[in-house]
């Protein structure tokens, strides 16, 4: 048989016990032997117990056999294990007044007890003299032993129960050997058991030369609950018969043990035990106290020791009372769980020994072993944040815990991992033990661990949140509880995004450099989410990568605000907000404001057509652009947006005024806005177009026949263009609204220079010099040479590449075009990439393909072409 506590096998948790020598130590405590296992030696081992008889046979214990044979295994202070044996236990060897008990303990690291180490412990104790009647109330059984020489049951009692003898005689006559029988008296009936039947029912029976013993588990069927002085007892009233020589003898083997009698008041345990229990005093008429002693853990305490611990022992006429302050020396706290809440109970192992004399038994010794456990009391666990901001480490201490608690796993982002595996998630966990046996757990995890939630708070501050649930087990009960740990550290390490803004002739630009807090922030313009799809719809520029967000919005756009108008220009602004991607709360705002030339709003065409765009000012929120009119209110806009209205009309219509001076003819009109029912405009934009009224053109006429065409020095107009294309195929140029073009390291720019007018096949375009500047002025500094005398700059690490131009549907005169490719690495100032706007300039030569010329104006070494006389121009 095997004793398996709690579940199948008991496992000893960590703990310490002073004064141990070797893995086991023994103590003689009256008629009990106690063997204590070293918690340090047996830590984290699974145990099984056996009792070795005089023949060397090991009887493996289980709970039934232990309570039947007089053995008790308990977990005492913080999971230390105690084994106790009665002097009259089944396999003890009793010789005179010395009893000897031998136990075998197997210890293994696994529940299946493989590779278990075996430990033997034998101990002997002297006990005597025996009292005529001894009663023991152990944790798991009641025991009564009586001296054989005692008088038989009272005559009156025998007369009341004559059938007891009748039941005993047949069995007694059948055998010559000493046998016995037990009769239980219950209110409804009396029930007799032969010894074999009693053993099968779980009772323990034994006889020595001088004593008869009955042992009754608390789970026995014949136990009655009786009340005496308001205290409930587990009680058995029985008569035991034994044969001795030619006689059948009967003894009273009644026993009673208190079930309750414990109260709590003012942080004090009050244990009350009636002195003379009726069931145990049947037939006695006079009583006298001989001894009342009490103690803890089966150790008797003197009056002085009790006073030092503030124990109070009272021996009144009818009852014995012991008062113990909760938390006093001698007891201990153990962890408990109620409704998933962590708490503790105070436990103390008391014992009381009461000896009295009466005129029936003489001396009776009643020993009561009582483990008292106070009600559950919730205990708040301290969670201390000791995070080290300088090394970016979350450092949290959880506890105090009692020694019977063990951390078994963690739940991190809904994933449960055992403590040894937590390091794979960046968690370092270790245990701190204190001198009083308590302990705490420390959790360390870097700020940058994936499970640490990061959130921007304000200014330069970020919040790092540790959210983990710790699961604990309580030894030896196996109860579990969880502790959620949520701690926040707020270092000042936030790097906010920053922006720079600029404008070119027709666009407003914002370039935002990302920080470390805005990975999930979204760009909004006027509460309008600027997605790539939305930007494409409105022809806005949007480029977003891990480090930068670049936004370009045309000057005339529904998301641009127009703030004021001055002769120096129109002040326009673009406001961009970054919002939290989850809560959509505003995180930060950026804006850029520039003045644009009024000429952006008006076009005075040579044919007398005027195109004027009126914009909605910020201060006039209720203006409806569709209701804007000219002086002639019948002239309405031809194109309307939320913030603009465009009019197209002839200067001789729509109420336009005309003025003259000596050289100029001036046309003047106004864009107006009237509120309904009001003839005074609340919006007025005056505009003017001027045309020259005198212009001289010289024309020569000759009547002679024209000579063959030839090229002669003279003056005329040339139309040239410089374009940037998106790909090497030169099929898709950047449109006007796409400038400025944003490029990154090692990306290529594809340039094309073209002679637009005249369309003369006898002319050829050649490149001279090409260079870049950081302003529109071609003479500004610094300058980066790209082509020198038609050749690539030899000092560039990435050489300019020329591309051939072939005839196509778009290219009618290949000699009018030159194409080349420039890498962005060209534009370096010192060792730093130049990140401002760049402007490109080229000088070209237009040469004749019909005449040889001895000059050096047109010959080219790097840009192949014939040597031609030409004209030199910059653009």
């Amino acid at each position: 048989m095997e004793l398996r506590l709690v579940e199948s096998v008991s496992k000893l948790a960590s703990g310490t016990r002073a004064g141990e020598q070797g893995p086991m130590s023994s103590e003689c405590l009256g008629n009990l032997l106690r063997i204590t296992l070293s918690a340090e030696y047996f830590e984290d081992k699974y145990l099984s117990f056996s009792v070795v008889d005089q023949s060397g046979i090991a009887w493996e214990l289980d709970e039934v056999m232990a309570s039947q044979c007089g053995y008790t295994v308990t977990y005492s202070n913080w999971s230390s294990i105690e084994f106790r044996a009665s002097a009259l236990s089944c396999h003890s060897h009793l010789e005179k007044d010395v009893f000897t008990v031998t136990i075998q303990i197997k210890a293994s690291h696994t529940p299946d007890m493989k590779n278990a180490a075996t430990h033997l412990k034998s101990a002997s104790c002297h006990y005597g003299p025996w009292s005529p009647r001894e009663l023991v109330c152990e944790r798991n059984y009641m025991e009564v032993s009586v001296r054989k020489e005692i008088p038989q049951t009272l005559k009156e009692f025998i007369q009341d129960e004559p059938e007891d003898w009748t039941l005993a005689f047949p069995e007694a006559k059948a055998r010559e050997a000493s046998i016995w029988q037990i009769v239980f008296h219950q209110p409804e009936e009396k029930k007799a058991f032969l010894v074999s039947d009693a053993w099968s029912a779980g009772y323990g029976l034994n006889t020595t030369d001088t004593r008869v013993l009955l042992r009754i588990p608390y789970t026995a069927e014949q136990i009655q609950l009786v009340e005496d002085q308001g205290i409930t007892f587990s009680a058995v009233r029985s008569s035991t018969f034994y044969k001795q020589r030619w006689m059948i003898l009967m003894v009273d083997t009644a026993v009673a043990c208190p079930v309750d009698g414990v109260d709590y008041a003012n942080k004090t345990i009050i244990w009350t035990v009636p002195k003379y229990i009726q069931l145990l005093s049947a037939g006695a008429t006079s009583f006298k106290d001989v001894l009342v002693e009490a103690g803890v853990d089966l150790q008797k305490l003197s009056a002085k020791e009790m006073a030092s611990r503030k124990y109070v022992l009272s021996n009144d006429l009818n009852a014995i009372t012991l008062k113990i302050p909760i938390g006093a020396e001698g007891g201990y706290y153990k962890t408990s769980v109620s409704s998933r809440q962590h708490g503790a109970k105070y436990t103390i192992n008391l014992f009381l020994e009461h000896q009295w004399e009466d005129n029936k038994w003489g001396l009776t010794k009643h020993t009561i072993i009582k483990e008292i456990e106070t009600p559950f009391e919730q205990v708040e666990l301290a969670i201390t944040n000791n995070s080290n901001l300088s090394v970016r480490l979350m450092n949290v201490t959880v506890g105090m815990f009692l020694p019977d608690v063990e951390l078994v796993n963690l739940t991190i982002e809904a994933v449960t991992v055992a403590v040894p595996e937590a390091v794979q998630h960046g968690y370092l966990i270790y245990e701190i033990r204190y001198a009083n046996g308590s302990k705490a757990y420390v959790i360390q995890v870097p700020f940058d661990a994936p499970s640490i939630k990061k959130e921007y708070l304000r200014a330069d501050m970020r919040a790092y949140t540790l959210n983990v649930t710790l699961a604990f087990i309580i030894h030896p009960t196996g109860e579990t509880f969880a502790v959620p740990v949520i701690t926040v550290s707020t270092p000042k390490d936030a790097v906010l995004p920053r922006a720079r803004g600029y404008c070119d002739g027709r666009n407003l630009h914002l370039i935002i450099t990302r920080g470390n807090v805005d990975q999930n922030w979204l760009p909004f313009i006027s509460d309008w989410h600027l997605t790539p799809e939305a930007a494409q719809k409105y022809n806005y520029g949007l480029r977003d990568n891990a480090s930068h967000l670049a936004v370009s919005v045309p000057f005339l756009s529904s998301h641009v605000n127009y703030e004021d108008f001055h002769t120096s220009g129109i002040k326009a602004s673009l406001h961009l907000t970054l919002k939290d991607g989850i809560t959509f709360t505003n995180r930060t705002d950026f804006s850029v404001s520039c003045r644009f030339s009024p000429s952006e709003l008006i076009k005075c065409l040579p044919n007398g057509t005027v195109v004027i765009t009126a914009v909605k000012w910020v201060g006039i929120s209720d203006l409806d652009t569709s209701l804007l009119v000219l002086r002639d209110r019948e002239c309405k806009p031809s194109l309307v947006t939320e913030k603009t209205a465009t009019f197209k009309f002839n200067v001789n219509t729509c109420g336009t005024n005309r003025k003259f001076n000596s050289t100029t003819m001036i046309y003047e009109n106004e864009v107006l806005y009237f509120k309904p029912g009001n003839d005074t405009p609340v919006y007025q934009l005056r505009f003017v177009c001027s045309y020259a009224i005198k212009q001289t053109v010289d024309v020569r006429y000759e009547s002679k026949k024209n000579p063959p065409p030839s090229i002669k020095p003279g003056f005329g107009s040339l139309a040239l263009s410089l374009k940037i294309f998106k790909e090497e195929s030169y099929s898709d140029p950047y449109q006007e609204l796409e400038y400025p073009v944003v490029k990154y390291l090692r990306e290529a720019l594809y340039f094309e220079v073209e002679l637009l007018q005249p369309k003369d096949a006898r002319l050829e375009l050649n490149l001279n010099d090409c260079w870049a500047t950081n302003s529109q002025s071609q003479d500004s500094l610094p300058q980066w040479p790209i082509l020198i005398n038609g050749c690539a700059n030899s000092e560039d690490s990435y050489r300019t590449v020329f591309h051939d131009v072939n005839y196509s549907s778009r290219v009618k005169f290949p000699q009018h075009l030159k194409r080349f490719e420039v890498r962005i690495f060209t534009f370096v100032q010192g060792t730093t990439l130049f990140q401002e706007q760049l402007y490109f300039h080229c000088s070209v030569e237009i040469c004749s393909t019909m005449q040889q010329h001895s000059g050096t104006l047109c010959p080219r070494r790097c840009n192949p072409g014939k040597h031609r006389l030409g004209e030199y121009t910059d653009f």
Side-chain angles (χ1 to χ4, degrees):
M1 304 291 289
E2 180 179 343
L3 177 62
R4 301 183 183 273
L5 297 179
V6 182
E7 292 183 353
S8 59
V9 181
S10 61
K11 182 177 180 181
L12 184 62
S14 59
T16 58
R17 184 181 177 89
E20 293 179 344
Q21 295 181 354
M24 291 178 281
S25 62
S26 62
E27 295 175 273
C28 297
L29 302 166
N31 60 350
L32 293 172
L33 165 68
R34 176 166 63 192
I35 296 176
T36 304
L37 277 62
S38 166
E40 182 178 356
Y41 182 86
F42 288 102
E43 182 177 0
D44 293 328
K45 292 184 176 67
Y46 295 87
L47 307 177
S48 68
F49 294 80
S50 299
V51 181
V52 181
D53 64 14
Q54 297 178 53
S55 303
I57 298 174
W59 298 83
E60 198 167 7
L61 291 177
D62 61 11
E63 291 183 356
V64 173
M65 181 179 177
S67 59
Q68 186 176 33
C69 284
Y71 302 111
T72 304
V73 178
T74 65
Y75 292 84
S76 61
N77 190 359
W78 292 327
S79 298
S80 295
I81 292 183
E82 288 186 5
F83 171 88
R84 293 198 295 268
S86 168
L88 295 177
S89 58
C90 291
H91 301 294
S92 65
H93 175 57
L94 182 63
E95 186 172 348
K96 295 184 178 180
D97 290 333
V98 176
F99 65 95
T100 302
V101 176
T102 301
I103 65 169
Q104 173 184 279
I105 299 176
K106 291 184 178 181
S108 173
H109 289 285
T110 57
D112 57 13
M113 303 304 291
K114 289 184 177 179
N115 303 316
T118 302
H119 303 271
L120 283 175
K121 178 69 176 179
S122 183
S124 299
C125 293
H126 178 274
Y127 178 65
W130 288 81
S131 300
R133 180 172 65 165
E134 296 200 359
L135 307 167
V136 177
C137 298
E138 247 289 10
R139 181 172 180 171
N140 56 330
Y141 63 85
M142 302 184 293
E143 181 181 281
V144 54
S145 69
V146 297
R147 188 181 296 162
K148 285 183 178 180
E149 293 82 6
I150 62 173
Q152 296 188 16
T153 306
L154 289 177
K155 182 177 179 181
E156 292 82 3
F157 183 77
I158 297 173
Q159 290 175 349
D160 291 340
E161 313 294 343
E163 67 275 22
D164 292 353
W165 288 102
T166 304
L167 292 170
F169 286 146
E171 182 68 24
K173 295 166 97 177
R175 299 171 184 263
E176 293 297 326
S178 175
I179 62 171
W180 52 5
Q181 195 176 61
I182 182 169
V183 177
F184 293 98
H185 302 264
Q186 293 181 308
E188 301 84 6
E189 62 176 350
K190 299 174 180 62
K191 189 169 184 179
F193 283 87
L194 298 178
V195 65
S196 57
D197 297 330
W199 271 101
S200 298
Y203 296 98
L205 301 126
N206 198 2
T207 182
T208 68
D209 292 340
T210 59
R211 303 190 73 78
V212 172
L213 174 136
L214 172 64
R215 189 176 296 112
I216 306 167
Y218 287 110
T219 57
E221 184 179 353
Q222 275 68 42
I223 282 184
Q224 304 172 54
L225 295 178
V226 298
E227 194 172 289
D228 194 308
Q229 300 181 41
I231 307 301
T232 303
F233 285 81
S234 287
V236 170
R237 179 188 170 199
S238 63
S239 300
T240 301
F241 297 84
Y242 65 95
K243 177 183 177 184
Q244 189 158 344
R245 297 185 181 181
W246 61 88
M247 294 183 296
I248 295 294
L249 302 177
M250 181 179 71
V251 293
D252 182 357
T253 48
V255 62
C257 292
V259 173
D260 50 26
V262 179
D263 290 319
Y264 307 95
N266 300 321
K267 299 289 185 180
T268 301
I269 300 169
I270 304 171
W271 181 30
T272 302
V273 179
K275 291 174 67 173
Y276 307 115
I277 306 161
Q278 184 177 2
L279 183 69
L280 302 179
S281 306
T285 57
S286 63
F287 303 93
K288 177 185 176 182
D289 277 345
V290 175
L291 180 70
V292 174
E293 290 184 313
V296 176
D297 291 329
L298 297 177
Q299 299 285 354
K300 295 179 181 180
L301 297 176
S302 66
K304 183 178 179 180
E305 289 172 319
M306 285 193 181
S308 69
R309 300 184 182 192
K310 298 183 179 181
Y311 296 2
V312 177
L313 178 62
S314 302
N315 183 10
D316 300 327
L317 180 62
N318 296 315
I320 301 168
T321 303
L322 183 59
K323 296 181 179 179
I324 308 290
I326 295 176
E329 180 185 353
Y332 63 95
Y333 284 96
K334 62 182 181 181
T335 307
S336 183
V337 176
S338 177
S339 300
R340 299 184 180 180
Q341 296 297 313
H342 168 267
K345 297 178 179 180
Y346 176 75
T347 301
I348 188 166
N349 294 309
L350 298 175
F351 90 97
L352 177 68
E353 183 178 303
H354 181 206
Q355 296 185 32
W356 73 88
E357 289 182 345
D358 59 44
N359 59 350
K360 175 185 175 183
W361 290 99
L363 185 64
T364 295
K365 180 181 178 182
H366 194 184
T367 301
I368 304 172
I369 300 170
K370 182 73 171 179
E371 181 183 72
I372 297 177
E373 183 179 271
T374 61
F376 173 85
E377 185 174 351
Q378 185 174 344
V379 177
E380 294 293 333
L381 288 169
I383 299 175
T384 308
N385 187 352
N386 302 309
S387 296
N388 190 331
L389 303 185
S390 62
V391 297
R392 299 179 60 75
L393 184 70
M394 301 286 280
N395 188 318
V396 179
T397 302
V398 183
M400 302 286 185
F401 293 101
L402 295 174
D404 56 355
V405 169
E406 179 186 3
L407 176 63
V408 290
N409 62 52
L410 302 84
T411 299
I412 307 168
E413 294 185 313
V415 177
T416 300
V417 297
V419 172
E421 300 170 2
V423 67
Q424 301 174 13
H425 296 261
Y427 287 70
L428 176 63
I429 301 171
Y430 61 91
E431 183 183 285
I432 301 175
R433 296 200 180 190
Y434 300 95
N436 65 355
S438 61
K439 60 185 175 181
Y441 288 93
V442 176
I443 304 170
Q444 293 181 343
V445 57
F447 282 178
D448 297 322
S451 61
I452 299 298
K453 179 184 176 182
K454 305 168 187 65
E455 182 181 10
Y456 172 65
L457 292 181
R458 59 189 176 276
D460 58 351
M461 190 175 293
R462 280 200 291 180
Y464 293 80
T465 302
L466 168 67
N467 188 343
V468 62
T469 299
L470 309 181
F472 296 88
I473 189 170
I474 303 171
H475 296 293
T477 62
E479 289 182 287
T480 60
F481 65 95
V483 178
V485 177
I486 302 175
T487 58
V488 179
S489 296
T490 54
K492 293 183 177 181
D493 66 347
V495 178
L496 294 174
R498 61 187 188 277
R500 65 181 182 88
Y502 66 92
C503 300
D504 54 22
R506 296 194 175 182
N507 297 278
L508 298 95
H509 303 274
L510 273 173
I511 299 178
I512 300 170
T513 302
R514 294 284 193 184
N516 61 8
V517 299
D518 56 322
Q519 291 80 6
N520 298 316
W521 295 1
L522 304 175
F524 280 77
I525 300 177
S526 302
D527 289 328
W528 173 69
H529 185 195
L530 184 59
T531 63
E533 296 76 17
Q536 185 177 14
K537 175 182 177 182
Y538 285 90
N539 203 24
Y540 294 175
L542 176 65
R543 297 195 63 172
D544 193 2
N545 58 26
S547 61
H548 291 83
L549 170 68
V551 178
S552 300
V553 176
F555 161 64
L556 292 176
S557 164
S558 59
H559 294 99
V560 171
N561 294 324
Y562 306 100
E563 298 178 2
D564 65 39
F565 183 87
H566 194 267
T567 54
S568 62
I570 302 168
K571 186 177 180 181
S573 61
L574 171 66
H575 297 271
L576 184 142
T577 301
L578 293 181
K579 295 190 177 187
D580 189 284
I582 299 175
T583 64
F584 293 100
T585 55
N586 290 357
R587 286 303 191 180
T588 190
D589 299 282
F590 300 109
S591 64
V592 57
S593 297
C594 300
R595 286 199 176 273
F596 289 83
S597 170
S599 61
E600 295 295 324
L601 300 181
I602 187 168
K603 293 181 181 178
C604 302
L605 302 180
N607 64 357
T609 299
V610 178
V611 180
I612 178 71
T613 300
V615 296
K616 178 180 178 180
W617 307 120
V618 171
I620 312 176
S621 58
D622 58 348
L623 187 146
D624 184 351
T625 55
S626 67
L627 300 179
L628 289 169
V629 294
L630 297 178
R631 284 176 177 168
D632 182 349
R633 297 189 187 185
E634 295 301 319
C635 292
K636 302 184 184 309
S638 57
L639 177 65
V640 174
T641 69
E642 181 185 352
K643 293 186 179 181
T644 65
T646 302
F647 297 84
K648 187 176 182 181
F649 63 98
N650 189 272
V651 293
N652 295 317
T653 63
C654 295
T656 307
N657 294 333
R658 183 174 60 184
K659 296 179 181 180
F660 297 92
N661 60 30
S662 58
T663 60
T664 309
M665 184 163 45
I666 302 171
Y667 294 89
E668 179 185 316
N669 207 328
E670 291 177 302
V671 179
L672 304 169
Y673 179 75
F674 300 91
K675 287 187 175 181
N678 194 333
D679 289 334
T680 302
V682 296
Y683 178 98
Q684 195 169 11
L685 177 65
R686 178 175 172 271
F687 59 92
V688 172
C689 280
S690 300
Y691 293 89
I693 58 175
K694 284 187 178 181
Q695 186 172 10
T696 302
V697 179
D698 294 329
V699 181
R700 290 184 181 182
Y701 293 92
E702 293 185 4
S703 60
K704 64 180 181 180
K705 184 179 180 181
N706 289 335
S710 63
I711 303 298
K712 292 184 178 181
F715 299 96
S717 298
L718 298 174
L720 299 164
S721 73
L722 173 61
K723 296 180 182 178
I724 303 176
F725 284 74
K726 297 178 180 179
E727 297 175 347
E728 188 178 338
S729 63
Y730 287 86
S731 60
D732 186 13
Y734 285 99
Q735 301 301 316
E736 189 173 357
L737 291 177
E738 294 179 282
Y739 285 93
V741 176
V742 180
K743 288 289 183 177
Y744 296 91
L745 294 177
R746 300 183 184 176
E747 290 188 321
L749 296 169
Y750 301 97
F751 290 87
E752 180 185 89
V753 182
E754 182 180 5
L755 174 62
L756 299 176
Q757 293 292 338
K759 301 289 187 182
D760 190 339
R762 296 171 298 173
L763 299 179
E764 181 181 21
L765 179 145
N766 283 307
L767 297 174
N768 187 40
D769 295 332
C770 290
W771 67 99
T773 66
N774 64 350
S775 73
Q776 295 187 23
S777 173
Q778 64 183 16
D779 299 320
S780 64
L781 296 175
Q783 293 186 358
W784 290 271
I786 299 171
L787 299 178
I788 302 174
N789 294 326
C791 299
N793 184 358
S794 61
E795 295 181 3
D796 278 352
S797 56
Y798 286 82
R799 291 292 183 89
T800 301
V801 178
F802 292 95
H803 295 287
D804 293 334
V805 182
N806 299 312
Y807 181 87
S808 67
S809 59
R810 185 174 77 86
V811 180
K812 305 301 184 183
F813 304 102
Q815 66 272 29
H816 288 186
L817 288 87
K818 291 295 181 287
R819 292 170 176 170
F820 59 94
E821 171 188 338
V822 178
R823 292 281 173 172
I824 199 65
F825 270 122
T826 305
F827 311 107
V828 177
Q829 192 169 15
T831 60
T832 305
L833 177 67
F834 190 80
Q835 296 186 344
E836 301 293 335
Q837 287 195 76
L838 293 172
Y839 297 84
F840 291 86
H841 315 270
C842 283
S843 62
V844 301
E845 298 168 352
I846 308 301
C847 302
S848 169
T849 62
M850 304 301 294
Q851 294 182 355
Q852 288 285 357
H853 199 280
S854 59
T856 59
L857 186 62
C858 285
R860 288 286 166 263
R861 298 183 300 275
C862 305
N863 185 9
K866 299 180 180 179
H867 301 175
R868 296 290 178 261
L869 173 66
E871 184 174 328
Y872 177 89
T873 183
D874 288 344
F875 67 101

